């Protein structure tokens, strides 16, 4: 959410900053801006809209070998030119870009106004520029430290000052910042995506840490300005994974990557001989895993829905009571933290603030938390006692697909390992391993039917409102399907338990309200088919996501037959066609697939 880039070195900064911002646009895309520091001081160009528009309208004279840039997802104040970052002080000598939220911004704005300072924008960030300018410290580091000590909230921040042209000072508290080391030049960004084209030698800042970047190198220190001596390391990442290549969108690329991503999360973790999984990163021995009495899964949005699928896997395979809860709600009900409960935080980005705060709440009360996280070294990964990395590769599209599939597989591995130190038989363990090994091929098969699904999606896109329904294992699938559909097609898509339709929502069924029903071939098929009859009787159009051997009787419906795996693993195969339906509906409606309105990748504000 919001992206930061910075550069200092021998090249003109503006083109590098704009290229970096393009790479970060998925983090926020309502406005963008850059500031450069050249021989005539600081120049700023910023505007509402996309980075492309900013690039097209950049002034001809915009020279400077140091610069900072930002792409915004509005929190304080609407998306307009004035509220876009960078923000400057009254004299235009200080420029600031900021991710996060300054909680005491209103009080600080009043204080600055009392001092006769006119604030140009509605943003919380602008106060930082004035605070830096107003500090009496004689170094930029001291000025930034003074400004930060006045604010409460979260930040990743980069600051330039016309009186200190040889440096950029950056600081982190709750919002990531990564330093990239080049040859006599330094970069900084809030996400690796903006750095990998230039360097893979990087250093992650920790919360509470600051850094000074000069063309020759960087130094890190705490806010009391004592050194933290951080050094850079090389990350093993292929810059091509941040390119959409031949695909029209990252979402499409990432859906297609699912079979390969699934193979990666399983690789080296399946033990065929003992019918179990090996998850070294859990940091728990067999005795500790046996002592777990309950599992509580915490995540947000799609990660929460896949958490519900994970809870079902844990209950079925390990027979441990398990449930999932929205991390955004958990912390606010003063939850009881039990010593024999295993808390599982699930997050693609590892940055989602609600999930991070939930983890901190559990740990503060002495609970044990493991993470199912995609981004290595991210805040949530670092905060947990152990975990399972998802190895999905970078996920750029706002709509999560391959990371979600790997979250499901991460839960399957966890359930297998916990199950096999309890009552899951070796035969069942081996059955599930065989199912997991078949899964990448079945994902491939499902993705190969894209054309068929595109046709179905076009008819769904015409509806203003839809239901997605499922029961028990199928209900989180329906929730995730509705989530994906609404977030990129902007159609009203409501998920419901099939069994609950007759207790109210059937009143809404009509020929203009289609229902996408999840009807796997399992012990509930007959009941599900009964509900389909009720929908059909009210002339509701039906799309049924099912298995080829399921008999729908005389129900009039469009069928999507999904390859069958073991019943416990079926939910993820039932989910993939829903991704394709959402994608093709959005495409039909002409929406920007990777940048859906009002959303941004990684929600780093509460
Ligand atoms: C939906 C989506 C969001 C995220 C949610 C959690 O497609 O992407 O609902 O799942 O914001 O994000 P992470 O997994 O990064 O914690």
């Amino acid at each position: 959410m919001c992206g930061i880039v910075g550069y200092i070195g021998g090249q003109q900064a503006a083109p590098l900053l704009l290229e970096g911002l393009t790479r970060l646009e998925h983090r926020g895309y309502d406005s963008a801006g850059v500031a450069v520091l050249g021989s005539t001081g600081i120049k700023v160009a910023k505007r509402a809209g996309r980075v492309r528009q900013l690039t097209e309208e950049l002034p001809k004279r915009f020279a400077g070998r140091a610069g900072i840039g930002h792409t915004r997802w509005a929190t304080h104040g609407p998306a307009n030119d004035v509220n876009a970052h960078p923000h400057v002080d009254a004299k235009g000598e200080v420029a600031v870009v900021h991710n996060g939220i300054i909680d005491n911004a209103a009080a600080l704005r009043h204080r600055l106004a009392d001092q006769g300072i006119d604030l140009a924008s509605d943003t919380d960030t602008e106060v930082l520029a004035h605070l830096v300018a107003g500090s009496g410290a004689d170094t930029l580091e001291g000025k930034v430290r003074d400004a930060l000590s006045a604010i409460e909230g979260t930040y990743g921040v980069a600051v330039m000052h016309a009186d200190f042209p040889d440096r950029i000072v950056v600081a982190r508290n709750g919002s990531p910042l990564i330093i990239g080391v080049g040859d006599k030049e330094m970069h900084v960004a809030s996400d690796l995506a903006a750095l990998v084209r230039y360097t893979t030698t990087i250093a992650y800042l920790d919360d509470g840490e600051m850094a000074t970047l000069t063309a020759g190198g960087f130094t890190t220190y705490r806010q009391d300005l004592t050194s933290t001596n951080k050094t850079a390391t090389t990350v093993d990442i292929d810059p091509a994974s941040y390119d959409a290549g031949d695909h029209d969108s990252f979402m499409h690329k990432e859906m297609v990557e699912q079979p390969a991503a699934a193979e990666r999360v399983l690789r080296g973790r399946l033990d065929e001989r003992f019918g179990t999984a090996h998850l070294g990163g859990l940091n728990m021995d067999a005795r500790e895993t046996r002592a777990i009495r309950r599992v509580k899964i915490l995540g947000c949005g799609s990660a929460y829905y896949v958490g519900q699928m994970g809870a079902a896997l844990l209950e079925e395979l390990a027979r441990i009571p398990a449930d999932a809860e929205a991390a955004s709600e958990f912390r606010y009900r003063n939850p009881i933290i039990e010593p024999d409960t295993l808390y599982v935080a699930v997050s693609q980005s590892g940055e989602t603030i609600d999930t991070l705060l939930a983890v901190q709440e559990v740990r503060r009360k002495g609970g044990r938390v493991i993470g199912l996280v995609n981004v290595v070294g991210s805040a949530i990964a670092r905060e947990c006692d152990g975990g399972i990395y998802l190895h999905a590769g970078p996920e750029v599209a706002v709509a999560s697909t391959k990371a979600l599939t790997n979250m499901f597989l991460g839960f399957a591995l966890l359930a297998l390992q916990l199950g096999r130190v309890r009552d899951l038989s070796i035969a069942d363990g081996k059955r599930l391993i065989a199912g997991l090994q078949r899964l990448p091929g079945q994902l491939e098969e499902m993705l190969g039917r894209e054309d068929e699904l595109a046709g179905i999606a076009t008819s769904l896109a015409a509806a203003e409102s839809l239901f997605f329904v499922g029961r028990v294992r199928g209900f989180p699938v329906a929730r995730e399907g509705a989530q994906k559909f609404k977030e990129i097609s902007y159609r009203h898509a409501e998920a419901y338990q099939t069994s609950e339709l007759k207790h109210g929502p059937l009143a809404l069924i009509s020929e203009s309200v289609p229902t996408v029903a999840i009807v796997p071939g399992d012990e509930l098929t007959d009941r599900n088919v009964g509900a389909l009859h009720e929908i059909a009787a009210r002339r509701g159009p039906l799309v049924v996501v099912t298995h080829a051997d399921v008999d729908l009787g005389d129900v009039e419906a469009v069928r999507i037959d999904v390859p069958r795996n073991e019943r416990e693993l079926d939910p993820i195969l039932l989910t993939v066609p829903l991704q394709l339906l959402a994608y093709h509906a959005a495409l039909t409606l002409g929406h920007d697939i990777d940048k859906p309105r009002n959303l941004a990748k990684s929600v780093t504000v509460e």
Side-chain angles (χ1 to χ4, degrees), residues 299-305 346-353 355 372 380 395 397-401 403-404 407 480 483-484 487 599-603:
C300 293
S302 291
Y304 162 43
Y305 303 140
V346 57
S347 174
Q348 186 287 128
S349 60
E351 272 177 46
T352 301
I353 193 78
T355 311
L372 260 67
I380 293 172
E395 191 180 69
V398 169
S400 183
T401 54
L404 185 117
M407 285 171 186
E480 168 55 16
Q483 158 98 343
K484 211 97 302 170
E487 81 180 309
L599 301 177
K601 192 81 173 161
S602 305
V603 183

Side-chain angles (χ1 to χ4, degrees), residues 374-386:
N374 193 37
V375 178
V376 175
S378 55
I380 293 172
R382 285 190 286 174
E383 194 79 32
C384 288
D385 297 293

